[in-house]
Amino acid sequence: MHVQEWLDTVPAAAVYAVVGLVIGLESLGIPLPGEIILVSAALLSSQHGGIDPVILGACAVAGAVIGDSIGYAIGRKGGRPLLAWLGRKFPRHFSEGHVATAERSFTKWGMWAVFFGRFIALLRIFAGPLAGVLHMPYWKFLTANVLGGIVWAGGTTAVIYYVGVVAESWLKRFSWLGLVAAVLIGVVSMLVLKRKAKKAEPVPAAE
């Protein structure tokens, strides 16, 4: 089956739902590949006429904001025992060292840690629950959460979508080879964005 024919069989509603759900669960505090899902879906929308990149971006933003807000509520209610429980369940992501690093970032940068944390895998998982545990004022959290979600989810969708549009002629000419090339271009673009965001990551204070 030709790539374009295969893409046309993917229901748009399913793509929107998966993107919103995965990003929402990741933002809530569950280690999932939200960024990879978003990049893949944005590339898909550039080749699938039925998938609207605006709706896709909106679903990603909604998932990010709602997931972070739920994570904040859970963190505020669960407190530090919640972090200890998460450390036992997900030792690679919620180890004492990771928690300490994220906490120093929040203490130093406040709401900006929530905003820039959207671009950094570790802080993206921690942002909601940790902000709740540290009792960050909700209006500050919500402001940074919404702005970060819009810039990260909307910006990533737009950039990767236009990368896919540029690669469209390759897709038509080389079928699966072109799809692989487009995905690689999308991944490289994602890494460039992450590299720039990494420069803005708060430096942990020396102990």
Side-chain angles (χ1 to χ4, degrees):
M1 181 182 293
H2 191 277
V3 172
Q4 192 62 43
E5 295 175 352
W6 176 74
L7 293 178
D8 288 338
T9 67
V10 180
V15 176
Y16 301 146
V18 168
V19 168
L21 180 62
V22 172
I23 291 177
L25 290 175
E26 182 190 39
S27 300
L28 189 152
I30 300 176
L32 290 175
E35 194 166 47
I36 294 175
I37 293 295
L38 180 57
V39 168
S40 301
L43 272 174
L44 183 61
S45 71
S46 70
Q47 307 303 323
H48 191 310
I51 299 177
D52 189 326
V54 175
I55 298 177
L56 177 66
C59 289
V61 171
V65 173
I66 294 172
D68 251 7
S69 295
I70 295 174
Y72 175 91
I74 293 174
R76 194 174 182 92
K77 183 176 182 179
R80 293 191 177 278
L82 173 65
L83 295 180
W85 180 82
L86 289 172
R88 293 192 296 271
K89 291 294 184 179
F90 306 103
R92 290 182 57 188
H93 298 86
F94 289 90
S95 66
E96 291 184 6
H98 285 165
V99 171
T101 297
E103 188 169 351
R104 284 194 295 266
S105 299
F106 270 69
T107 300
K108 183 175 181 179
W109 296 95
M111 62 186 294
W112 289 110
V114 177
F115 178 86
F116 287 113
R118 181 58 61 186
F119 299 87
I120 302 165
L122 176 63
L123 288 181
R124 186 162 59 248
I125 297 172
F126 273 109
L130 190 57
V133 169
L134 298 178
H135 289 260
M136 176 183 289
Y138 184 67
W139 71 267
K140 288 186 176 181
F141 169 79
L142 183 62
T143 300
N145 180 24
V146 171
L147 293 178
I150 291 174
V151 174
W152 174 73
T156 299
T157 301
V159 170
I160 301 303
Y161 172 80
Y162 285 112
V163 166
V165 169
V166 171
E168 183 176 7
S169 60
W170 294 2
L171 284 168
K172 290 181 177 179
R173 183 177 302 174
F174 301 113
S175 191
W176 286 106
L177 179 61
L179 178 60
V180 172
V183 170
L184 290 176
I185 293 172
V187 171
V188 170
S189 300
M190 177 187 71
L191 292 176
V192 170
L193 289 174
K194 290 186 68 174
R195 184 181 181 84
K196 291 182 178 180
K198 190 72 173 178
K199 294 179 181 178
E201 181 178 3
V203 178
E207 295 182 355

